Amino acid sequence: MTTDRELSFTSAEHRLVGTLTLPDGPGPHPAALLLPGSGPLNRDGDHRRIRLGIQRDLAAALAAAGVASLRYDRRGVGDSSGRFLHTGFHDNVNDAQAAFAALGADPAVDARALFLVGHSEGALTATALAARGVATAGLVLLAGSGRPGAEVLRWQAARLLPSLPAPVRLLLRLTRTDLVAKVSRNHEKILATTADVAWVGGQRLNAKWLREFLRYDPRPDLARVHAPILAVTGDKDLQVDPADLRVVADSAGGPVETRLLPDVTHVLRRQPGAASLRAYRREVRDPVDPSVTGVVIPWITARIAELH
């Protein structure tokens, strides 16, 4: 049996609310802070348009292995206060630092065995937080990039082009639209903004977050991280280059293990055949693929054993 209880904390005068999941048995327990990908996600990793459930599934797998976890609603989402669209990338790191402190201060948790487990943007959040010197026993970077955000988004645009519907590809050819160049022009427009929220290309965007993400290069922060790292990416990832596993390994200041998982997508599900974003809605009906938790859980439990 596991126990879920609410845990709230304050960051920049905002009250953020999450779920502390405790495994069966007496504590204090080793624990992990679960950090989600980008977007207005709740504590489980769900968006109002698609229920990813990544943090919920990870919490369940960790609890079954005797590891507690904390996951929380982002600013302006669920029970947390604040405004999501006005929140920057570094604000998210500050929130994660406050969550990490709250997790370590809970009497049910062993503060000597705290891990950071981040997915997508959450992997960058974990890296930036660890580089600040917080006492972590290890980092798990799931589908995390190793290059500046602007490079990541240009790679995405080039990689996504073949997976777009045929009519869209035809329209791009007929209008002689270079998708990567168009993305780069949008980046210039975003970087020229100064407000937290701005209209770019007919869309109301979280400009503060985008400016900070476009400029953020994780490599200097990785060099400051001396805790062990496990970096895991699927070979069907269309949003992060699987080759960035090597960048992470070459940049980190401490020991790194990397795993490239066959047929696993950016949302950590299995996808046979050609990689496609359109399959996400079908994939997320299933939990996070066992090949992911089958790598993450043994790695964390091995690090815990080393601490004792």
Side-chain angles (χ1 to χ4, degrees):
M1 289 288 293
T2 61
T3 301
D4 285 347
R5 63 173 164 85
E6 183 177 287
L7 192 153
S8 63
F9 55 94
T10 300
S11 178
E13 301 181 356
H14 299 293
R15 180 177 181 264
L16 304 183
V17 185
T19 297
L20 176 65
T21 298
L22 298 171
D24 192 20
H29 303 282
L33 177 63
L34 305 180
L35 299 166
S38 57
L41 302 180
N42 69 12
R43 67 191 72 183
D44 289 337
D46 293 337
H47 187 282
R48 60 185 176 84
R49 293 181 180 175
I50 185 168
R51 295 173 61 86
L52 298 175
I54 290 172
Q55 282 63 49
R56 179 190 61 240
D57 291 350
L58 291 173
L62 287 163
V67 181
S69 65
L70 173 64
R71 60 196 192 274
Y72 59 94
D73 298 331
R74 283 202 149 148
R75 293 189 194 184
V77 180
D79 294 326
S80 293
S81 67
R83 293 185 290 176
F84 172 77
L85 274 181
H86 292 257
T87 306
F89 173 83
H90 296 294
D91 292 328
N92 287 336
V93 180
N94 293 339
D95 293 349
Q97 186 163 3
F100 192 75
L103 178 61
D106 194 283
V109 166
D110 182 356
R112 300 167 301 171
L114 297 180
F115 293 84
L116 295 169
V117 179
H119 169 248
S120 192
E121 183 196 345
L124 298 177
T125 306
T127 298
L129 178 54
R132 293 181 178 183
V134 300
T136 178
L139 286 73
V140 176
L141 310 180
L142 302 171
S145 58
R147 293 174 290 161
E151 290 185 29
V152 173
L153 294 183
R154 286 195 296 270
W155 181 88
Q156 281 183 18
R159 189 76 175 88
L160 291 174
L161 185 59
S163 71
L164 293 174
V168 176
R169 296 199 306 273
L170 176 61
L171 179 62
L172 291 172
R173 286 199 298 272
L174 291 175
T175 56
R176 298 183 180 180
T177 300
D178 183 327
L179 189 59
V180 176
K182 184 174 182 175
V183 166
S184 295
R185 288 194 296 273
N186 281 338
H187 291 175
E188 292 172 5
K189 293 175 183 177
I190 291 164
L191 290 171
T193 65
T194 57
D196 290 350
V197 181
W199 286 89
V200 177
Q203 289 183 294
R204 189 167 179 258
L205 299 176
N206 183 337
K208 179 182 181 182
W209 183 89
L210 281 163
R211 289 192 302 269
E212 293 176 355
F213 173 75
L214 288 169
R215 292 174 172 137
Y216 180 66
D217 184 347
R219 290 172 292 189
D221 278 349
L222 282 165
R224 298 184 187 98
V225 177
H226 299 286
I229 293 174
L230 171 66
V232 180
T233 300
D235 69 359
K236 293 288 177 66
D237 200 317
L238 293 173
Q239 291 163 261
V240 167
D241 189 350
D244 279 15
L245 287 172
R246 174 48 52 192
V247 178
V248 171
D250 290 344
S251 302
V256 180
E257 294 182 39
T258 63
R259 296 287 188 277
L260 180 64
L261 301 183
D263 287 336
V264 170
T265 67
H266 190 72
V267 294
L268 308 183
R269 268 69 169 198
R270 187 169 297 276
Q271 186 182 106
S276 169
L277 287 182
R278 286 174 287 174
Y280 280 8
R281 289 192 179 276
R282 183 180 68 251
E283 290 172 17
V284 298
R285 297 172 189 166
D286 297 321
V288 166
D289 194 75
S291 67
V292 177
T293 51
V295 170
V296 171
I297 301 305
W299 187 88
I300 289 179
T301 55
R303 302 290 80 70
I304 294 169
E306 291 171 357
L307 294 172
H308 294 88

